Amino acid sequence: VQLQASGGGLVQAGGSLRLSCAVSGLTTSDNFMNWFRQAPGKEREFVAGIKWREGTKRYADSVKGRFTISRVSAEMTVYLQMNNLKPEDTAVYYCASSSGQITTAIGAGSWGQGTQVTVSS
């Protein structure tokens, strides 16, 4: 599977951004699509995941109620709608596939390139 993330940018605190991850070459092992992020000097952390077929979702506690993951199968795209952004959301955001539900980067299969999100205070 190939993943292409886009949509990052600079936004003020309280603002919104929508990230996109274009998916191609999906295989039977790519059951879940996930978003991770990595801030400078920190480990890559799980943000949200969605089961491709059923659409069931999971979120990190730090983004619950503010971020929404979705997928449009016909477009082969996964989205991450980010509202009420905070400076601590500043990071490079990555999309990643996985065969099972994951909450750590170790379990991911393929990775897309990152897209930078910067939230100013």
Side-chain angles (χ1 to χ4, degrees), residues 2-6 20-23 33-37 44 78 93-97 108 110-115:
Q2 289 77 47
L3 306 171
Q4 181 82 20
S6 61
S20 301
C21 178
V23 180
M33 290 296 163
N34 309 278
W35 286 98
F36 282 78
R37 66 186 181 187
R44 194 167 295 190
V78 179
Y93 283 70
Y94 300 88
C95 54
S97 66
S110 298
W111 292 90
Q113 92 294 356
T115 185

Side-chain angles (χ1 to χ4, degrees), residues 34-61:
N34 309 278
W35 286 98
F36 282 78
R37 66 186 181 187
Q38 188 166 20
K42 294 189 176 181
E43 291 187 354
R44 194 167 295 190
E45 65 173 357
F46 173 80
V47 175
I50 187 167
K51 195 168 186 181
W52 185 260
R53 288 191 184 86
E54 288 83 359
T56 52
K57 306 171 185 180
R58 186 168 183 170
Y59 297 94
D61 289 342

